[in-house]
Amino acid sequence: MLHEESGQVISESKALARLGAKVAKLIPDDPVIAAQADSFVDRLMDMKTTQFYVPGTPSDLVEQCRVQLEATCNALKAVMAMQEGDSDWLLGDKMCWADVSLFVEVDGLSLWDPELMAWFETAFPKLHQIVERVRSLPAVTKLLNDTEWSKGASWPPNFSYGPGSKCGCVRK
């Protein structure tokens, strides 16, 4: 939840993410491409949300994540195939918030199940390159190496992990 000095409150995670993307100038200028970015970010965020409703064991949840990630990545590949030329990013020649969101979701899932990253790299090599390109940005690298941040990093959010947990997910 964001409380502005003016008294305004923004409480929805997608709205906060979009605000951050707008402030960071990660929203594409072309309105159609911006809508595509929004669509992919929504789909990636929805993928995370649905994980809270998957019954069964942690391995059932990991498999459901993989299935949803695969469907989302296939949609991303289809849009990328329609682009002219060979771009380093999902939706054109500049990084946008869809690229960052892809990194956040794939990195988070790989923390939960390291084998998922190996599968992702094999199944979607171009998307994996984008994830690694975002990971290599100096600000992202700094955040990932920050010991204060990494002590509490877990995915999915609001899950508690720790000694005795069936699922370990603490970035080391």
Side-chain angles (χ1 to χ4, degrees):
M1 185 172 289
L2 176 67
H3 294 271
E4 289 284 322
E5 289 181 16
S6 65
Q8 293 177 317
V9 176
I10 302 171
S11 60
E12 294 298 320
S13 58
K14 288 180 186 177
L16 288 166
R18 186 160 175 57
L19 174 63
K22 190 169 187 97
V23 169
K25 300 184 183 342
L26 292 173
I27 304 291
D29 293 330
D30 180 299
V32 173
I33 294 173
Q36 286 177 325
D38 290 350
S39 173
F40 291 129
V41 170
D42 285 350
R43 191 167 181 169
L44 287 161
M45 292 176 110
D46 288 348
M47 180 183 74
K48 184 188 301 182
T49 303
T50 61
Q51 306 320 311
F52 295 105
Y53 304 105
V54 175
T57 66
S59 62
D60 295 335
L61 182 56
V62 168
E63 178 58 19
Q64 182 64 29
C65 290
R66 191 199 60 74
V67 167
Q68 289 184 1
L69 181 62
E70 184 172 27
T72 299
C73 289
N74 281 327
L76 288 171
K77 276 178 44 178
V79 169
M80 289 175 71
M82 291 187 288
Q83 294 182 43
E84 292 181 20
D86 192 28
S87 174
D88 287 340
W89 302 105
L90 287 173
L91 297 171
D93 59 353
K94 287 177 23 180
M95 180 177 70
C96 72
W97 78 311
D99 300 294
V100 175
S101 185
L102 178 66
F103 163 75
V104 168
E105 301 309 328
V106 170
D107 187 63
L109 287 169
S110 71
L111 288 174
W112 208 31
D113 180 19
E115 292 177 13
L116 189 66
M117 187 57 90
W119 166 82
F120 178 76
E121 183 176 357
T122 302
F124 300 100
K126 180 139 175 123
L127 296 178
H128 181 261
Q129 290 173 356
I130 292 169
V131 167
E132 293 306 313
R133 197 170 292 117
V134 172
R135 182 190 312 281
S136 70
L137 295 170
V140 174
T141 300
K142 181 179 178 190
L143 177 66
L144 293 174
N145 292 326
D146 181 286
T147 56
E148 287 303 309
W149 177 84
S150 65
K151 282 183 203 172
S154 67
W155 192 95
N158 304 323
F159 276 44
S160 60
Y161 298 102
S165 172
K166 292 182 182 175
C167 301
C169 183
V170 177
R171 183 183 295 280
K172 295 180 181 177

